[in-house]
Amino acid sequence: MRSLRSGLLARRPWTCMQCRRASSSPVASHNKQTKLPDFPARTRFAPSPTGYLHLGSLRTAIFNYLLAKRTGGQFLLRIEDTDQKRTVPGAEQRLFEDLKWAGLQWDEGPVVGGPYGPYRQSERTAIYKSHTHDLINNGHAYRCFCPTTRLDAFARGRNRLGLPPGYDRKCADISPEESEERAAKGDPHIVRLKVDDYPVFEDLIYGKMGQNRSSNKLDLIDRIYDDPILVKTDGYPTYHLANVVDDHLMKITHVIRGTEWMSSTPLHVMLYNAFNWAPPQFSHVPLLVDKAGRKLSKRNADIDLTLFKDKQGIFPASLVNFAALLGWSHTQKSDVFSLEELGNIFNLKFTRGNTVVSLEKLRFLQKSHAQRYALNGGPEFDGMVSSVSKVAESTSSPEQLSQILQFRPLNDLIAPLLQADSKSYTNATEFVTRNSTFFTTNLDRPQYTPTTSNTTTAVPISSLHVASAALCLVPLTHWTAAVHKFNISSYDGASTILENSTPALTEDPEQVRIAADKAFKKELYHYLRWALSAGAPGPGVPETMSILGREEAVRRLQEARELTSDKTVGSPVTARRAREKTSLPEESDPDRSWMGSLAPGS
Ligand code: GLU
């Protein structure tokens, strides 16, 4: 049986008045307490296998892991499965997988073992039994043989009067001999901790806590006490007993957990005192809430990790980075960190007050990590290439792909595409959708609309045809983004615009040229993007030409010219010159004068 009181203690987030007032201060002011320990910290993540890892529990695991790494200590994993009825089959295995996916390898715990095992509470019942005996023998705990019916009636009666449940200590007066005898006979019973006053404790984030629970006599006249349950009728310890015994025996120095456990901590400290043990240092990290201030739940972001890792394709590093920033502050210039980098800079500067979870930040971090991977290569980048390949193969026909690839392997298109557009990478599916024009030869271009409708500054379409034809002169061997970039920037765009205009005498001819060139380049880039990728956002024009490959890029430019050839609006001279020059070259063009010298008439 689980006591109502202990259930409430475990679930209800509780903050004392003083801390509620202080909770508006963004960063904990206990400077000396936010300093890292000068010894290796032993921390633990102690999930109950009653569900899967969520954003909130992942964050708890990360903070504990990072403190151990930063101080050269150990990070333990302990499975708190004393509530067998709530244990979900397969949850433990999933926890292991999810922690490993996130990179949070535990130093001691299930699978890896360690000197203080077993690390699964259901395998430690003998340890809890002997410790319960110690508490009964030293007078801090007693057996309670009251039947459930009495306790329930008692709780109902108090509830009707608006009073919290409690216990009248009826069994506390049973003599030790009788208690032993009845227990030996198998009389059903629970074990309660005798609590008169809960102790105050020092939280590393919130400071002195527990003041408003200084007296635990719930009702002095009726002699009603909290006396929480330590051992249930099935002989299993409650979370409180097992948690304290294990943290002590496993030599845990720091406990970082959510504020929902804050209300249980006075009881835990009480237990440490009863055993005559020194408690670890506690840090209760703030609650995660959505933008509307609601506690995270399945309806908003506290979904289990599957959504992020399998459905959204978020990298472990992005999610870990994101979770680590929830309620923790640092002084670095950027927010983008790998797990290893976090381990090098971690401190105990946690923020107070609720932490708002903004999933836009996760998208930003995902793009930032994608950029890092694209820049550095390595297994993560290979993973991106292979996920994008899979999506591209499933969304494009093999004929379309092979026409673009021209005997190149698919990865030879995808790797440079990822490198050129990693800043927008969220996941493979979204990436392929955004860059869909790289995987099809059927470009659904909207009608070409120039950047300006002002006829005096408009660039004749024919001169755009001339320029794009000139760009196609580059042979396959030199078909690179760098060459295209150089050629576009050195293309003499001003001449095409200024050919038939007479600058005013007052104008500086050089300034006029610069302005004309700028206007031309702007239109040229606009036209080329429309021609090559139907105006879709994505890699820059030179990169696009290079990634598509010569054959496909030239074909697209030719197609674009045909689509716009009836729109020749330039002067008769320019139009004539355009007609002369827009026939697209063969790849084997022996003339190498294309290199950086594509000005019309050169
Ligand atoms: N078993 C508890 C949980 O599931 C652990 C709480 C603690 O860290 O003490 O979250």
Side-chain angles (χ1 to χ4, degrees):
M1 190 192 69
R2 192 182 161 94
S3 101
L4 284 172
R5 183 73 191 161
S6 68
L8 287 175
L9 278 172
R11 271 182 229 115
R12 195 191 300 149
W14 164 80
T15 318
C16 77
M17 283 305 285
Q18 195 182 325
C19 289
R20 244 176 265 156
R21 254 177 267 128
S23 70
S24 54
S25 104
V27 179
S29 59
H30 309 276
N31 272 341
K32 65 177 193 317
Q33 291 160 354
T34 59
K35 278 219 334 244
L36 287 168
D38 52 10
F39 54 87
R42 280 179 65 82
T43 61
R44 48 57 167 192
F45 177 51
S48 300
T50 52
Y52 303 133
L53 209 54
H54 283 216
L55 191 56
S57 43
L58 173 71
R59 178 187 66 155
T60 303
I62 292 170
F63 287 159
N64 283 288
Y65 173 90
L66 293 176
L67 179 59
K69 293 299 135 189
R70 179 71 206 270
T71 57
Q74 294 83 36
F75 169 64
L76 280 70
L77 174 63
R78 183 174 72 228
I79 301 296
E80 300 209 326
D81 57 349
T82 52
D83 196 346
Q84 297 276 300
K85 280 191 260 43
R86 293 181 57 224
T87 295
V88 170
E92 185 182 295
Q93 201 48 43
R94 269 280 294 277
L95 278 166
F96 297 164
E97 284 163 16
D98 287 349
L99 286 173
K100 282 189 191 153
W101 174 82
L104 305 177
Q105 181 57 60
W106 51 100
D107 302 305
E108 292 172 31
V111 189
V112 301
Y116 304 101
Y119 293 90
R120 200 175 276 110
Q121 289 187 329
S122 56
E123 294 164 19
R124 297 171 64 82
T125 39
I127 299 172
Y128 308 129
K129 246 187 202 117
S130 86
H131 282 85
T132 307
H133 270 113
D134 293 348
L135 287 184
I136 293 175
N137 292 341
N138 71 16
H140 282 290
Y142 62 92
R143 292 190 189 87
C144 171
F145 296 92
C146 290
T148 321
T149 44
R150 176 175 192 268
L151 296 173
D152 286 351
F154 190 80
R156 271 200 305 275
R158 288 184 59 80
N159 188 28
R160 265 198 300 278
L161 300 172
L163 297 168
Y167 182 60
D168 59 3
R169 280 201 183 160
K170 182 170 182 283
C171 295
D173 297 334
I174 297 175
S175 72
E177 296 75 27
E178 186 190 334
S179 170
E180 282 296 334
E181 203 183 298
R182 287 176 70 175
K185 256 188 9 220
D187 248 14
H189 64 274
I190 54 176
V191 177
R192 291 181 182 274
L193 181 71
K194 211 169 189 176
V195 182
D196 288 319
D197 284 308
Y198 279 111
V200 166
F201 72 96
E202 189 79 25
D203 184 89
L204 289 187
I205 301 173
Y206 290 93
K208 274 213 177 350
M209 295 300 294
Q211 294 93 323
N212 63 350
R213 303 201 58 215
S214 60
S215 170
N216 194 49
K217 294 181 194 76
L218 297 178
D219 188 329
L220 284 170
I221 297 155
D222 284 347
R223 278 186 82 234
I224 303 302
Y225 300 86
D226 201 12
D227 285 5
I229 299 172
L230 300 180
V231 180
K232 299 173 275 184
T233 31
D234 60 7
Y236 271 96
T238 53
Y239 150 73
H240 307 292
L241 177 70
N243 186 272
V244 165
V245 168
D246 288 348
D247 278 349
H248 173 74
L249 295 181
M250 294 176 184
K251 302 200 177 342
I252 298 302
T253 61
H254 290 74
V255 168
I256 304 175
R257 59 187 176 191
T259 42
E260 66 270 31
W261 299 103
M262 182 91 95
S263 61
S264 300
T265 311
L267 162 56
H268 294 181
V269 178
M270 177 82 211
L271 269 167
Y272 282 101
N273 295 348
F275 280 118
N276 208 9
W277 294 336
Q281 306 231 273
F282 292 101
S283 299
H284 290 91
V285 288
L287 210 65
L288 299 184
V289 295
D290 68 9
K291 282 186 186 150
R294 287 169 308 200
K295 188 174 178 299
L296 282 205
S297 69
K298 289 206 172 68
R299 278 177 302 283
N300 37 50
D302 205 19
I303 19 230
D304 81 70
L305 295 203
T306 339
L307 179 93
F308 297 116
K309 74 182 220 209
D310 302 329
K311 298 211 181 81
Q312 294 185 351
I314 299 289
F315 304 128
S318 314
L319 194 64
V320 165
N321 192 165
F322 176 62
L325 297 174
L326 297 172
W328 171 71
S329 69
H330 62 85
T331 50
Q332 310 293 309
K333 285 204 189 79
S334 150
D335 266 348
V336 185
F337 305 110
S338 66
L339 181 61
E340 200 185 336
E341 288 163 340
L342 284 167
N344 293 334
I345 60 159
F346 191 68
N347 56 40
L348 292 174
K349 290 196 182 92
F350 296 113
T351 55
R352 283 184 189 172
N354 294 345
T355 304
V356 179
V357 173
S358 143
L359 292 176
E360 288 82 52
K361 180 80 180 193
L362 177 60
R363 282 177 79 81
F364 161 78
L365 291 170
Q366 173 77 349
K367 291 176 191 172
S368 308
H369 283 278
Q371 276 173 277
R372 280 180 161 203
Y373 295 151
L375 197 68
N376 304 329
E380 289 88 358
F381 183 65
D382 295 344
M384 286 164 74
V385 173
S386 101
S387 325
V388 171
S389 297
K390 271 192 211 116
V391 177
E393 272 169 338
S394 68
T395 50
S396 294
S397 74
E399 297 74 40
Q400 294 263 308
L401 285 179
S402 66
Q403 200 172 326
I404 296 167
L405 291 172
Q406 294 292 320
F407 308 108
R408 288 178 294 169
L410 180 56
N411 286 0
D412 281 12
L413 179 138
I414 287 171
L417 178 58
L418 274 166
Q419 268 149 351
D421 199 33
S422 60
K423 64 178 185 316
S424 69
Y425 184 92
T426 48
N427 61 45
T429 309
E430 285 181 18
F431 186 80
V432 170
T433 307
R434 174 180 156 96
N435 288 292
S436 60
T437 57
F438 285 86
F439 304 105
T440 178
T441 47
N442 299 330
L443 257 67
D444 192 13
R445 296 181 188 86
Q447 203 185 11
Y448 182 66
T449 330
T451 55
T452 174
S453 51
N454 181 336
T455 46
T456 53
T457 53
V459 176
I461 194 82
S462 53
S463 51
L464 299 174
H465 292 162
V466 174
S468 51
L471 293 173
C472 293
L473 289 168
V474 177
L476 186 57
T477 45
H478 291 76
W479 194 262
T480 65
V483 167
H484 298 312
K485 198 175 197 149
F486 179 79
N487 283 343
I488 294 173
S489 67
S490 50
Y491 189 86
D492 178 9
S495 302
T496 49
I497 292 189
L498 299 177
E499 211 162 39
N500 301 301
S501 65
T502 328
L505 284 175
T506 48
E507 285 177 309
D508 174 352
E510 190 46 31
Q511 290 308 318
V512 171
R513 269 201 88 72
I514 291 171
D517 192 59
K518 216 170 142 197
F520 179 83
K521 295 284 163 58
K522 185 178 169 204
E523 190 63 41
L524 179 61
Y525 269 108
H526 177 68
Y527 172 77
L528 290 173
R529 182 169 286 281
W530 172 83
L532 294 162
S533 56
V541 165
E543 289 78 9
T544 300
M545 289 179 70
S546 155
I547 297 163
L548 284 172
R550 188 175 193 276
E551 179 97 9
E552 180 61 13
V554 168
R555 191 193 67 75
R556 288 183 188 199
L557 292 174
Q558 172 98 49
E559 194 175 72
R561 188 183 60 131
E562 280 155 19
L563 286 168
T564 47
S565 53
D566 56 332
K567 293 191 180 60
T568 311
V569 290
S571 70
V573 179
T574 319
R576 192 177 344 106
R577 287 180 73 171
R579 274 194 297 281
E580 282 161 14
K581 291 199 160 215
T582 48
S583 52
L584 294 167
E586 286 305 309
E587 187 216 305
S588 56
D589 192 341
D591 180 9
R592 292 175 57 84
S593 66
W594 50 268
M595 287 187 80
S597 181
L598 294 174
S602 70

